[in-house]
Amino acid sequence: MASIEMRNIVKQYGDGFPAVNDVSLDIADGEFMILVGPSGCGKSTLLRMIVGLEDITSGDMVIGGKRVNDLAPRDRNLSMVFQNYALYPHMTVFENIAFPLRLSKMPDDEVRRRVTEASDVLELKEHLDRKPANLSGGQRQRVAMGRAIVRQAEAFLFDEPLSNLDAKLRGQMRTEISRLQRRLGITTVYVTHDQTEAMTLGDRVCVLRKGKIQQVASPRELYEQP
Ligand code: ADP
Ligand code: ADP
């Protein structure tokens, strides 16, 4: 687990208007932070700079007390959970969860121990031999989160993970993500367009507009103003 501190973060693509323009934001250890704002306001760019998929033009990105501006994504120990879950269809649930550990050449018994532990937390124990095609949307999302858990990632980053789902499944997934995040207590940054997601999931909501922070507030302050 780790805090994420952004100090005067700027992202300039080419010579246009900065996509992210002097953003300073502290996300506490274990906090669930939501990023909202109109399309093009810089949400994805900010998320990608946290993960390291995008260079930072200026400012400091500090994760767990350590400046990470120059660290490659694999050295940041964060986990991005994508919209489509990015599961490997030909691999079992076990191998999907184990995948990042295999990449790091972890010994088999340690891989088995960690995957077993994660699948216990995620209630996937019965499904370890299945392929993703035979899982529900909710179970797939849990597999994706399992990957983050086995790596002992310090934070979860979500980029509109539910936007392709129908309303019913979206509701289930909201509950699922909320339950897991509370249980794991892991720092989370979550981009969404959806006010219900922002309200039910977020400890705080950061509203971006044209690359700047317009407001940071609790969901209640933001959405239940008289
Ligand atoms: P959001 O996620 O809030 O929709 P983005 O972070 O995707 O916003 O985009 C912020 C701004 O940066 C937009 O004006 C977008 O066109 C621009 N932008 C995003 N990615 C790139 C890129 N790779 N090259 C040039 N401009 C980009
Ligand atoms: P979203 O609407 O989900 O925020 P976009 O459709 O804006 O995503 O962007 C999709 C991809 O295109 C992203 O990888 C982003 O970096 C890139 N992109 C966005 N705007 C630009 C741009 N003006 N120039 C180049 N690439 C861009």
Side-chain angles (χ1 to χ4, degrees), residues 13 19 38-45 48 54:
Y13 292 108
S39 190
C41 69
K43 304 182 295 293
S44 304
T45 299
R48 292 206 302 271
E54 199 77 74

XYZ file of all heavy atoms in Angstrom, residues 13 19 38-45 48 54, ligand 1:
113
model
N 1.475 17.736 -24.591
C 1.667 16.968 -25.834
C 1.976 17.980 -26.922
O 1.180 18.887 -27.140
C 0.394 16.240 -26.236
C -0.044 15.104 -25.342
C -1.157 15.244 -24.514
C 0.612 13.886 -25.367
C -1.594 14.189 -23.727
C 0.176 12.826 -24.579
C -0.925 12.990 -23.769
O -1.364 11.950 -22.999
N -2.383 19.133 -21.550
C -3.465 18.183 -21.274
C -3.699 18.097 -19.774
O -4.817 17.905 -19.304
C -3.114 16.811 -21.835
N -15.256 16.230 -17.839
C -15.681 16.022 -19.225
C -14.606 15.343 -20.066
O -13.424 15.402 -19.724
C -15.959 17.439 -19.737
C -15.429 18.374 -18.715
C -15.223 17.637 -17.446
N -15.006 14.713 -21.141
C -14.074 14.062 -22.056
C -12.991 15.057 -22.476
O -13.276 16.206 -22.781
C -14.848 13.563 -23.281
O -14.009 12.740 -24.037
N -11.735 14.613 -22.440
C -10.625 15.466 -22.850
C -10.047 16.321 -21.730
O -9.119 17.103 -21.953
N -10.540 16.181 -20.486
C -10.068 17.049 -19.398
C -8.743 16.567 -18.810
O -8.147 17.257 -17.976
C -11.124 17.167 -18.297
S -11.355 15.647 -17.374
N -8.287 15.370 -19.215
C -6.968 14.915 -18.770
C -6.961 13.725 -17.822
O -5.908 13.352 -17.302
N -8.101 13.100 -17.614
C -8.185 11.991 -16.658
C -7.260 10.831 -17.028
O -6.474 10.362 -16.206
C -9.631 11.458 -16.572
C -10.673 12.503 -16.211
C -12.070 11.897 -16.094
C -12.624 11.342 -17.398
N -12.913 12.368 -18.428
N -7.378 10.375 -18.281
C -6.558 9.226 -18.699
C -5.076 9.571 -18.689
O -4.246 8.751 -18.298
C -6.926 8.770 -20.112
O -8.274 8.478 -20.183
N -4.780 10.778 -19.122
C -3.377 11.206 -19.138
C -2.798 11.177 -17.724
O -1.688 10.689 -17.502
C -3.266 12.625 -19.741
O -3.754 12.583 -21.080
C -1.827 13.110 -19.745
N -2.261 7.621 -16.658
C -1.112 7.021 -17.340
C 0.210 7.565 -16.808
O 1.230 6.875 -16.832
C -1.222 7.214 -18.857
C -2.386 6.411 -19.466
C -2.126 6.088 -20.932
N -1.914 7.283 -21.728
C -2.880 7.970 -22.331
N -4.123 7.564 -22.241
N -2.607 9.047 -23.024
N 3.154 7.243 -19.505
C 3.254 8.545 -20.162
C 4.301 9.362 -19.412
O 4.300 9.378 -18.193
C 1.882 9.222 -20.049
C 1.627 10.329 -20.996
C 1.304 9.841 -22.408
O 0.197 9.340 -22.638
O 2.202 9.958 -23.255
P -9.857 12.275 -20.722
O -9.301 10.978 -20.272
O -10.303 13.139 -19.593
O -10.920 12.130 -21.780
P -7.287 12.603 -21.972
O -6.297 12.506 -20.880
O -7.504 11.401 -22.835
O -8.672 13.119 -21.378
O -6.905 13.803 -22.922
C -6.577 15.095 -22.437
C -6.170 15.975 -23.617
O -4.930 15.512 -24.121
C -7.136 15.932 -24.788
O -7.139 17.221 -25.359
C -6.516 14.930 -25.729
O -6.866 15.176 -27.066
C -5.047 15.151 -25.479
N -4.259 13.925 -25.711
C -4.414 12.758 -25.050
N -3.525 11.850 -25.466
C -2.793 12.469 -26.404
C -1.693 12.065 -27.229
N -1.185 10.838 -27.131
N -1.174 12.969 -28.068
C -1.688 14.225 -28.162
N -2.694 14.671 -27.411
C -3.252 13.803 -26.558
